[in-house]
Amino acid sequence: MADERRLRVGVLGCGPIAQAAHFESASKARNAELYAICDVADDLRERMAATYAPQRSFRDYDEMLADPELDAVIVATADAFHVAAATRALEAGKHVLCEKPVGVAVEEVEALKRTIASSGRVLQVGHMKRFDAGIQSARNFIADEMGEMLALKAWYCDSTHRYAMTDAVQPKIIRSKAARRPAIDPKADLEQYYMLAHGCHLLDVARFLGGEIVEVEARLSHRFGAWCWFVDVGFASGALGHLDLTVAVRMDWHEGFHIYGQNGSVLGKTYNPWYFKSSDVDIFHEATGETTRVLGADGHFYRRQLEGFAATILDGAPMTGADIDDGLASVRGMVAVARSAHSGKPVKLADATGAV
Ligand SMILES: NC(=O)c1ccc[n+]([C@@H]2O[C@H](COP(=O)([O-])OP(=O)(O)OC[C@H]3O[C@@H](n4cnc5c(N)ncnc54)[C@H](O)[C@@H]3O)[C@@H](O)[C@H]2O)c1
């Protein structure tokens, strides 16, 4: 509606994820607007300001946060900067949509959780697959009809051909030599980088569908430049779980899940997110012998997550995205998988400490 109140959003970071997802999402959202952008890289920021025409453009993050017109910040910086950037925004009274993973170590995310509680502001973590209509249909079936869960398998296998795919569909990504980067290159340790970049999605989808994860036991194989984690998962519900994180398979992007339940089963196939195509999720209903599949015509998970975030702030709608507990569980899960892969022993998520 024309007179609907829109959340005034400022995007911190004009890097690839902002260019491929957040600027467009904030420009198209029904209940938000791209009010401001911020980046220390002048060339990048000026070019993005010319393209997306935000009302304000800031070099300095604290200046953006001091703007009383600004309602919320999307933190779209390198992982290592997330907690500090989110904390400053909350302390300035702004709501936060923080890119995933919400942090790189358990303790910093626990500290962020305390800051959220004292701020009274909303923080949502950018686990945008929760806004995939196919994955949402699986979650609704599990909650309303499926009964007990026997087992869940989920896999996230990046493709060696991923850049050919994404280059074909994303806007041309502009890069700047002046961009602010962490002191240690996030890609210096690929084992850690793949876990943070991809493992956090796999763990979040597994929890979104299967509920709380209590324990993991992981094995890691690394050969011909590919990494493969096979993870046995114990869910709090008692369901068996198996996760497969592989980077990269020598074939098409391969992501999905199988769920065996009391009153039916779910077979899900997820696409590379940059195709903006909802997962194909076939739900077999034991009672009727029918299989159903939602079309999910609107596959813009990034815009949909922003609209959900804005609805929580503007209308008091329940948060359907990942909250800080979900973000923390994903970080604990990554730490536990990494530790277990090295020790060869099961690790409880409650015992996970330190950095991924
Ligand atoms: N949800 C998804 O599907 C998805 C996909 C890709 C990336 N990501 C996440 O998005 C995040 C950002 O990724 P990226 O590749 O765009 O990062 P990037 O590091 O390439 O770009 C971040 C930009 O932020 C700017 N910046 C950093 N700190 C700043 C500060 N304090 N003040 C002003 N500007 C600052 C930098 O100059 C840089 O231009 C990562 O956490 C990544 O995991 C999510």
Side-chain angles (χ1 to χ4, degrees):
M1 284 175 355
D3 59 353
E4 193 179 19
R5 165 92 164 81
R6 287 166 180 273
L7 192 76
R8 284 182 295 262
V9 172
V11 179
L12 173 65
C14 294
I17 189 64
Q19 295 177 39
H22 298 308
F23 293 149
E24 184 186 90
S25 295
S27 305
K28 284 184 176 174
R30 64 176 160 79
N31 54 0
E33 67 177 72
L34 181 63
Y35 172 74
I37 66 172
C38 176
D39 203 300
V40 292
D42 296 331
D43 52 346
L44 195 53
R45 187 187 66 252
E46 282 161 16
R47 185 146 174 189
M48 293 305 131
T51 306
Y52 292 96
Q55 291 189 45
R56 307 291 307 274
S57 172
F58 297 92
R59 182 175 209 284
D60 184 86
Y61 184 39
D62 289 322
E63 276 180 30
M64 180 165 88
L65 293 178
D67 185 332
E69 298 293 309
L70 182 79
D71 296 316
V73 173
I74 298 178
V75 174
T77 63
D79 303 345
F81 299 143
H82 287 180
V83 168
T87 301
R88 271 155 73 191
L90 292 164
E91 288 173 351
K94 311 302 181 187
H95 305 282
V96 176
L97 174 58
C98 183
E99 259 305 341
K100 55 81 234 165
V102 63
V104 294
V106 171
E107 294 74 14
E108 65 165 0
V109 182
E110 288 175 331
L112 177 60
K113 181 177 168 171
R114 292 191 288 275
T115 305
I116 297 164
S118 59
S119 75
R121 293 294 182 269
V122 170
L123 181 139
Q124 184 175 309
V125 184
H127 287 294
M128 80 299 173
K129 291 175 192 287
R130 289 176 179 240
F131 293 86
D132 176 322
I135 296 175
Q136 288 173 327
S137 75
R139 167 124 159 161
N140 292 339
F141 172 72
I142 292 163
D144 301 339
E145 190 182 330
M146 195 184 76
E148 273 193 273
M149 187 180 291
L150 181 67
L152 177 151
K153 295 182 285 183
W155 51 95
Y156 181 117
C157 306
D158 196 354
S159 164
T160 42
H161 301 272
R162 69 124 68 203
Y163 290 109
M165 297 170 193
T166 54
D167 286 354
V169 292
Q170 286 182 340
K172 179 177 163 62
I173 302 296
I174 310 299
R175 297 181 193 271
S176 168
K177 289 196 171 66
R180 179 173 296 171
R181 308 218 177 272
I184 301 170
D185 177 3
K187 293 190 180 176
D189 178 347
L190 286 178
E191 182 182 333
Q192 180 193 52
Y193 174 75
Y194 292 149
M195 183 57 65
L196 287 165
H198 305 296
C200 77
H201 280 307
L202 178 62
L203 283 155
D204 187 66
V205 169
R207 287 185 64 260
F208 188 56
L209 299 177
E212 218 53 70
I213 294 173
V214 178
E215 186 176 79
V216 296
E217 184 166 5
R219 287 178 297 154
L220 169 61
S221 178
H222 176 218
R223 47 182 66 177
F224 55 82
W227 303 78
C228 176
W229 287 260
F230 272 12
V231 186
D232 279 334
V233 169
F235 286 100
S237 69
L240 296 181
H242 181 267
L243 306 182
D244 161 7
L245 173 66
T246 305
V247 188
V249 285
R250 273 56 179 167
M251 61 179 197
D252 196 358
W253 183 273
H254 179 56
E255 183 181 353
F257 49 89
H258 290 167
I259 300 167
Y260 310 140
Q262 192 175 5
N263 304 317
S265 295
V266 187
L267 306 182
K269 173 180 168 54
T270 297
Y271 294 88
N272 181 300
W274 304 108
Y275 290 157
F276 295 104
K277 178 165 167 45
S278 298
S279 296
D280 292 338
V281 176
D282 291 330
I283 299 177
F284 182 78
H285 307 260
E286 179 75 359
T288 59
E290 287 173 327
T291 297
T292 56
R293 177 191 286 189
V294 71
L295 172 60
D298 175 5
H300 207 303
F301 330 107
Y302 300 95
R303 196 203 78 252
R304 287 162 59 93
Q305 80 170 345
L306 177 58
E307 289 175 346
F309 172 70
T312 298
I313 295 160
L314 298 174
D315 315 326
M319 190 186 286
T320 52
D323 64 14
I324 188 63
D325 288 319
D326 297 313
L328 178 57
S330 180
V331 173
R332 282 188 179 281
M334 291 189 287
V335 171
V337 169
R339 299 284 184 277
S340 175
H342 283 266
S343 69
K345 299 200 173 98
V347 177
K348 289 196 170 22
L349 269 63
D351 296 336
T353 56
V356 175

